[in-house]
Amino acid sequence: MVKIQDMKILKFGGTSVGSVESIRSVVEIVKQEKQQNNSIILVVSAMSGMTNLLTKMSEEASWGNLDENDLKFFQEKHFEIVKALINISDQNPILTKLKLLMNELEDLLQGVETLKELSPQTKDLILSFGERCSALLLTEIIQQNVGEAKAVDASDYIVTDSNFGQANVMEEMTYQNIQLLAKKYSDKLFVVTGFIAANEENRITTLGRGGSDYTAALFGAALHAEKIEIWTDVNGMMTADPRFVAKAFSLKSLSYTEAMELSYFGAKVIYPPTMAPAFKLRIPIVIKNTFQPEFEGTKIQFNTEPTIFPIKGISSVKNVALINIKGSGLVGKLGFSGRLFSLLARHHINIVLITQSSSEHSITLAIHHDEVEKAKQLIEDEFYLEIDAKWLEPIEIEEKLGIMAIVGENMKKTVGVSGKLFYALGRNGINVRAIAQGSSEYNISVVLNENDLSKALNAVHDAFFYHLKKTIHVFNVGIGNIGATFLKQLEKQKDFLAENNDIEIKLVGLSDSKKMIFDEKGIQLTAWRNALNHSSLEANLDEFMQEMKRLNLPNCVFVDNTASSVVPKYYKQIFEHNISVVTCNKIANSSSYREYYELKQTARKYGIDFLYETNVGAGLPIISVLKDLRMSGDQILKIEAILSGTISYIFNHFKGENTFAEVVKKAQELGYTEPDPRDDLSGIDFMRKMLILARDNGYQVEAEDVKIDAILPESCLTAETVTAFYQILENENDYFEQIKKRAESEQKAIRYIGVLENGRISISLELVDHQHPFYALSGSDNVISFTTERYKERPLVVKGPGAGAEVTAAGVFADLVNISSIK
C-alpha cells in the first residue's frame, strides 16, 4: 500500500478554473501548499459552464442542428486562458495540443450530427473534453509558476463498469492503478482530470453528478491521504441555501452522516458518493473557498464537533412529485413493497423519500418531477390486476412540490425538535404533504408546496438558529399621526431590538390613501416618506393584500394604523394566509358580535395573533390584564372605567373661568380630539371600547345594548359644521356651567364613567367625591378598575395616559414586539 506522508488532495471545481482571475487564485493556493512542503495532487473539473455547453452541443448534434458558434466559443474560452496566463514563448505548444483536442471534439460532434444518434457511450466521450482541456491548461500554468507538474488523464487509472453516464467504480483495480502511478512519478505534482474514467475496454465513462469530487476521494483513499480539500466558490457548507436564506452561515464541522444527509436533499457543495471512499478510511474532507482561501471552511469528519444547536443545517430540493398508492389490497399484503421498489429500481427511478401509514393502507413516494409519468405508468402496468379488482385505488400524483429536511446528530439527544419544526411551519401557514423520519433521528424530511419552500426555509432557520436575529416582516397601512409616530418609534428602537431582543423588524409594505410601496429587502425607516411619495404604485387595498400574499414571507405582521371602516374587512383573509394583525382600529372588534367572533375564531384556527391593546387604553395594558385575569381563572365581577383621554382632559380642565367650549377647543389644538370633537364627545368611541372589553370578557353584546348618556345637548350633535358646533357650544354654556357649579359646591369631580356588570354596559356623566378611585384623575389619563373574586375588597386599578399619538403608537409598537418575541 502506497501512503505518502502528509498527502493532500486538492480538488478545484468549475468556478475555480473558470476564469483568468480564478486560476490565478488557484496558482497562489498551490504555491502556498508547496512552500509548506506538502505533498499534493490536484483534481480539476471542466471550466465553469463547459460541461453544460458540451451537453448542449451533443444533443443538438443528435438532432442534426450543431451550432458552429458553440464550438468556437468552447475553443476561445480555453485559448483566452493560454494567452493571459502562459508566457508568449510557451504558448504555441499548448495551443497546438488544445487545437488537436478541439479537432477531435469537432469530428465527434459531426459524426453524431451525420448519424443523428447520440449513445450514452458517445456522450460520455464528448463530455470528457471539458476536463481534459482544463487539466492540460492548468498543468502548463502550474509548471510555469510553481514547479514540475504532470497532466494525468483519470480514464487511464479509474476503472468502471459500462454504465455510461453514471459508471460504478471498480475500487480494488482503481486503487492499484493509482498507487502504481504515484510510485512511478513520486517527484511530480499531478493535475488529474475529474469526472471521467474508463471501462475495462478503455471506453471513456463518466462518474455522474459530483464526479470530480468522487475522483478526488478515490485518489485520496488509494493513497491514504491525510486530507481531501474541495475548493469551490462558497465558504464551506452552510446551514441552508444562501440563495433562499440570507442568514445562512458556514458550518465549522460536520460528520460524514450529516454531510451526506444535507447533500442528498440539495446541498450542492458536495455530492454523497464522493464521501464513500473517504468514509471507509475516515479521511477528513474540507470544503474551502478558492476566492477566500484564508477562510477556515467546513471540515467533514467521522465525528462532529459539539454544537449548541439541535440541528446542523436545513437542505431543500425542488421539482418533486408525490405518488400516492393506497387501497385495502396493501393491508397485510406480503411482498407488495418489494415488488414496487424492485420495479422502480429496474427502471433506474430514484426514490427521494418514502412514507407509509401505520395501517399499511397507503404508501407515498417522492420522486423527481421528470420521472413521475414514467413511474406512474410502470406502477399501473405492474399492478394492473390489483387496480382492476379495486384492491388498489387509482394512482394519485401530486406535483409542484419540494422537500425540506432538517439534519443533525444532536437531534437524537434533543427533546422537542419535531415540535419546533412543525410549530414554525404551522404558524406560517405552511401545509405539510408528507413526512419522513429515519430511526437514526438524523433527519426529518417534509414535503411542501414548492411555492412555500423559501418561506419554510427562513421560518425554520429562524426557529432553530436562535442566536441569529429573528426577522419580522411588517406591512403597515396608515401614516397619519399614529402611523407616522409608530414608524418613527420603530426606526428609533430597531438597533435596541436587534441587540437586546435578537429581533430584526423589516418594513416590507407601506401604504397611505394615495400611494403604496413594497421592498422585500426592507424599506429604509429613515426615508420611508420620500420613498412612498416617489412610488409609482397608486394605493389599492386589494392589490396591497395580493402583493403581501404573493411575497409569501415568513413571520409576517399586518399593522393597521387607520380609523378606516374598510381595512378591517380584509382581516379575515389576512388571518387565512397566516399573517398576524396588530391594529389600533376599533371598528373590527366593535362592529357586530358575529364579525368580532368570526375574526377571533379565524385567528385561533390559523394559530396566529390578533393584538389590539390600543383599541381600549391607547398605551395602557388593559386588554392584556383582562386576558391574564381570565386565563388565571379569576372571575370578573365589575369593570369601571374612564376610557377617553379626550373627555378626561376636558373635564379635568373644566374649572374656574374656562368655558366648556374653550376647554374643548384647547383639547383639539393639542391633538387630543378628532378633527370633529363630537366624535369624542358623543361617547361613541367610549362605547366601542366598553363593547370590546365586554366581548373579551365573554359577553355577547351589541352596540344597541349599551346604555349611554349624552354629554352634549342634541343641538350640538346636529350642528352642520364644526364651526357651527362651537358656536352652539358657546350658546349652551349655561348647561355646562350648571354641571361645573354643582361639582364645585359638592367638592366633587366630573367624570364620564363606563360600567360593565353582569353583562350590561352603561356610560354616564357622574360626580364623584374624593373617596372614589377616579377622583384624582389628571390630564388626559385613562383609568380602569377591575373588581374580581381575587380583587374584591381592593379593586385592581390600571391608570395612565389615554390619548395622543405617542402613547397609542407605543401601544401598537408593543403589540408588534410581543408578536416578534413569540418563538
Side-chain angles (χ1 to χ4, degrees):
M1 171 69 70
V2 174
K3 181 176 182 180
I4 302 174
Q5 189 67 27
D6 298 325
M7 167 61 74
K8 290 169 67 175
I9 310 296
L10 278 60
K11 179 264 175 176
F12 292 97
T15 53
S16 299
V17 293
S19 67
V20 170
E21 287 306 314
S22 62
I23 292 175
R24 285 194 175 120
S25 298
V26 170
V27 171
E28 289 304 312
I29 292 165
V30 175
K31 275 184 182 179
Q32 289 183 23
E33 291 290 345
K34 294 306 291 181
Q35 286 168 4
Q36 296 170 17
N37 293 318
N38 290 327
S39 298
I40 59 173
I41 290 175
L42 311 184
V43 176
V44 296
S45 296
M47 291 177 68
S48 180
M50 292 302 101
T51 301
N52 287 340
L53 182 60
L54 288 165
T55 301
K56 175 177 179 283
M57 287 192 289
S58 64
E59 291 175 351
E60 288 180 350
S62 70
W63 306 330
N65 192 27
L66 177 62
D67 188 344
E68 294 291 335
N69 289 324
D70 287 340
L71 264 173
K72 185 179 179 181
F73 178 78
F74 184 84
Q75 176 175 289
E76 288 177 350
K77 191 74 175 172
H78 292 85
F79 283 8
E80 174 189 314
I81 302 297
V82 174
K83 292 170 184 177
L85 297 177
I86 302 290
N87 295 331
I88 294 176
S89 58
D90 298 325
Q91 285 181 8
N92 279 338
I94 182 65
L95 288 171
T96 300
K97 292 177 183 177
L98 283 171
K99 186 60 179 173
L100 289 171
L101 285 172
M102 302 298 172
N103 291 342
E104 185 181 345
L105 172 61
E106 184 175 9
D107 289 343
L108 269 171
L109 290 168
Q110 286 177 349
V112 171
E113 186 176 37
T114 300
L115 295 171
K116 292 186 174 56
E117 183 181 347
L118 179 65
S119 68
Q121 177 178 325
T122 304
K123 186 174 182 178
D124 273 4
L125 180 56
I126 292 171
L127 295 185
S128 73
F129 282 84
E131 272 70 18
R132 289 158 70 186
C133 291
S134 175
L136 181 60
L137 266 178
L138 193 60
T139 302
E140 293 296 328
I141 296 167
I142 294 294
Q143 183 121 339
Q144 176 180 286
N145 293 278
V146 181
E148 195 70 24
K150 175 178 175 57
V152 173
D153 189 331
S155 63
D156 293 332
Y157 303 95
I158 298 177
V159 185
T160 70
D161 62 13
S162 297
N163 185 28
F164 295 99
Q166 188 77 51
N168 300 298
V169 175
M170 300 177 182
E171 287 188 358
E172 186 176 346
M173 195 180 305
T174 295
Y175 290 169
Q176 289 175 359
N177 291 342
I178 293 171
Q179 290 161 12
L180 289 172
L181 170 69
K183 187 175 182 181
K184 184 176 180 180
Y185 298 102
S186 57
D187 58 333
K188 298 288 179 70
L189 193 165
F190 297 154
V191 181
V192 183
T193 57
F195 182 57
I196 63 174
N199 63 13
E200 291 182 280
E201 289 77 41
N202 290 322
R203 301 285 188 183
I204 294 289
T205 59
T206 58
L207 302 178
R209 176 188 157 203
S212 293
D213 292 352
Y214 197 8
T215 303
L218 290 168
F219 269 77
L223 302 176
H224 283 233
E226 299 293 328
K227 187 189 296 184
I228 298 168
E229 292 182 352
I230 307 294
W231 289 81
T232 181
D233 57 355
V234 293
N235 287 331
M237 293 189 76
M238 305 187 80
T239 50
D241 190 332
R243 294 172 300 174
F244 302 120
V245 182
K247 297 180 192 175
F249 59 92
S250 299
L251 293 161
K252 186 176 180 181
S253 72
L254 289 168
S255 70
Y256 290 123
T257 304
E258 289 170 333
M260 291 182 78
E261 293 280 4
L262 283 171
S263 298
Y264 185 69
F265 284 126
K268 295 179 173 59
V269 175
I270 197 167
Y271 184 54
T274 300
M275 285 172 276
F279 185 92
K280 293 175 185 175
L281 298 176
R282 300 193 180 184
I283 300 170
I285 299 171
V286 182
I287 313 298
K288 300 274 284 179
N289 190 342
T290 305
F291 308 98
Q292 285 183 249
E294 70 283 357
F295 192 83
E296 188 176 0
T298 302
K299 187 175 185 180
I300 302 170
Q301 54 196 358
F302 185 76
N303 292 313
T304 187
E305 296 178 13
T307 175
I308 62 172
F309 304 113
I311 69 171
K312 275 293 181 67
I314 311 164
S315 60
S316 58
V317 62
K318 288 187 172 185
N319 297 317
V320 171
L322 286 182
I323 298 179
N324 296 313
I325 307 164
K326 56 187 178 181
S328 59
L330 270 67
V331 180
K333 182 74 171 179
L334 295 176
F336 181 87
S337 297
R339 283 175 64 193
L340 175 63
F341 299 138
S342 297
L343 168 71
L344 298 177
R346 286 197 306 272
H347 291 85
H348 306 290
I349 293 175
N350 183 44
I351 301 172
V352 182
L353 177 147
I354 304 166
T355 182
Q356 183 173 13
S357 65
S358 57
S359 65
E360 300 183 33
H361 182 263
S362 66
I363 296 177
T364 299
L365 311 175
I367 64 173
H368 293 291
H369 178 266
D370 54 6
E371 295 181 317
V372 68
E373 288 302 326
K374 178 182 177 183
K376 180 175 182 284
Q377 189 61 55
L378 288 168
I379 294 168
E380 288 175 340
D381 291 345
E382 175 73 16
F383 297 99
Y384 168 77
L385 293 177
E386 288 86 345
I387 294 172
D388 190 55
K390 303 288 192 271
W391 292 349
L392 290 182
E393 296 177 20
I395 307 301
E396 295 178 353
I397 302 294
E398 295 181 63
E399 299 182 274
K400 296 182 180 179
L401 303 175
I403 296 178
M404 182 186 73
I406 58 172
V407 172
E409 292 186 356
N410 271 5
M411 288 166 59
K412 193 167 187 177
K413 308 167 189 174
T414 307
V415 176
V417 172
S418 58
K420 183 172 284 192
L421 167 65
F422 294 116
Y423 177 78
L425 295 174
R427 185 169 175 81
N428 283 280
I430 299 165
N431 186 36
V432 176
R433 313 297 286 272
I435 304 164
Q437 180 177 15
S439 58
S440 65
E441 295 186 56
Y442 288 159
N443 175 319
I444 302 176
S445 301
V446 292
V447 181
L448 317 164
N449 287 329
E450 194 172 79
N451 290 338
D452 286 333
L453 199 54
S454 176
K455 182 180 182 182
L457 286 166
N458 282 277
V460 173
H461 199 273
D462 266 1
F464 282 100
F465 297 105
Y466 39 80
H467 72 301
L468 300 172
K469 294 171 182 59
K470 179 180 180 180
T471 301
I472 304 298
H473 298 97
V474 173
F475 294 83
N476 181 86
V477 173
I479 57 166
N481 286 340
I482 295 171
T485 306
F486 164 73
L487 294 176
K488 180 182 175 182
Q489 292 176 354
L490 184 56
E491 191 275 326
K492 184 179 179 181
Q493 290 295 108
K494 63 183 177 67
D495 291 338
F496 176 85
L497 289 173
E499 292 170 14
N500 296 277
N501 298 71
D502 292 326
I503 296 169
E504 177 188 17
I505 296 179
K506 281 187 181 180
L507 178 64
V508 179
L510 183 63
S511 179
D512 62 6
S513 60
K514 297 177 181 177
K515 295 285 188 72
M516 61 184 184
I517 187 173
F518 299 92
D519 187 342
E520 192 171 343
K521 295 179 180 178
I523 299 165
Q524 289 297 319
L525 290 168
T526 54
W528 62 264
R529 194 179 293 277
N530 184 58
L532 189 62
N533 288 339
H534 287 86
S535 173
S536 61
L537 297 175
E538 297 296 322
N540 184 301
L541 276 173
D542 283 333
E543 292 177 7
F544 190 92
M545 300 303 163
Q546 289 304 314
E547 181 64 11
M548 182 169 66
K549 295 174 190 176
R550 187 198 66 78
L551 287 170
N552 203 26
L553 298 170
N555 305 321
C556 283
V557 182
F558 176 80
V559 180
D560 179 6
N561 276 318
T562 74
S564 165
S565 60
V566 177
V567 179
K569 296 181 186 301
Y570 291 89
Y571 288 2
K572 186 171 184 288
Q573 62 173 273
I574 293 171
F575 293 148
E576 290 170 344
H577 206 70
N578 285 85
I579 296 173
S580 294
V581 171
V582 168
T583 181
C584 63
N585 190 332
K586 307 176 190 68
I587 292 174
N589 287 318
S590 60
S591 56
S592 72
Y593 181 81
R594 182 186 60 78
E595 292 176 12
Y596 162 87
Y597 181 78
E598 185 176 39
L599 287 178
K600 298 284 281 189
Q601 290 301 108
T602 305
R604 180 181 298 174
K605 175 182 177 182
Y606 288 91
I608 42 79
D609 293 290
F610 180 27
L611 301 187
Y612 45 89
E613 187 69 73
T614 52
N615 276 197
V616 174
L620 293 181
I622 293 175
I623 295 291
S624 55
V625 168
L626 175 61
K627 179 181 176 183
D628 290 345
L629 288 171
R630 284 172 54 80
M631 286 186 68
S632 65
D634 203 353
Q635 183 180 352
I636 312 296
L637 303 176
K638 184 179 182 181
I639 294 176
E640 295 176 278
I642 293 176
L643 295 176
S644 171
T646 303
I647 297 174
S648 182
Y649 174 88
I650 289 169
F651 284 119
N652 280 328
H653 289 80
F654 185 39
K655 298 174 182 177
E657 298 300 318
N658 294 327
T659 67
F660 191 75
E662 288 170 345
V663 176
V664 173
K665 190 167 288 186
K666 184 64 175 178
Q668 185 177 20
E669 290 170 0
L670 291 172
Y672 289 141
T673 75
E674 295 296 329
D676 187 338
R678 288 173 294 182
D679 291 342
D680 300 289
L681 291 167
S682 67
I684 298 300
D685 186 64
F686 196 158
M687 178 273 292
R688 287 173 177 158
K689 295 176 180 180
M690 291 301 296
L691 198 63
I692 294 168
L693 278 175
R695 288 172 175 178
D696 275 13
N697 198 28
Y699 296 112
Q700 298 183 26
V701 289
E702 301 289 356
E704 53 267 27
D705 299 326
V706 179
K707 181 180 179 296
I708 181 167
D709 291 344
I711 296 173
L712 299 173
E714 183 66 23
S715 58
C716 292
L717 293 171
T718 57
E720 292 184 1
T721 65
V722 174
T723 303
F725 156 72
Y726 274 115
Q727 184 61 53
I728 297 171
L729 201 59
E730 291 283 1
N731 297 338
E732 296 283 357
N733 190 54
D734 288 346
Y735 169 78
F736 295 104
E737 284 297 318
Q738 288 177 16
I739 298 173
K740 181 169 67 173
K741 287 177 180 178
R742 180 186 167 194
E744 288 173 346
S745 66
E746 296 179 12
Q747 296 184 324
K748 293 181 178 180
I750 308 169
R751 297 289 181 254
Y752 197 51
I753 300 174
V755 178
L756 169 63
E757 189 171 16
N758 297 322
R760 291 187 292 272
I761 303 170
S762 63
I763 304 171
S764 58
L765 201 61
E766 297 181 27
L767 301 181
V768 300
D769 60 25
H770 68 278
Q771 293 182 330
H772 196 284
F774 294 175
Y775 178 83
L777 200 65
S778 62
S780 62
D781 281 359
N782 278 354
V783 62
I784 185 165
S785 169
F786 294 96
T787 303
T788 74
E789 285 292 345
R790 293 179 191 150
Y791 296 95
K792 189 179 291 186
E793 300 301 322
R794 297 183 63 190
L796 174 64
V797 177
V798 178
K799 177 183 174 184
E806 285 289 340
V807 292
T808 305
V812 173
F813 186 78
D815 276 348
L816 177 62
V817 173
N818 284 334
I819 288 179
S820 306
S821 302
I822 295 170
K823 294 296 183 181

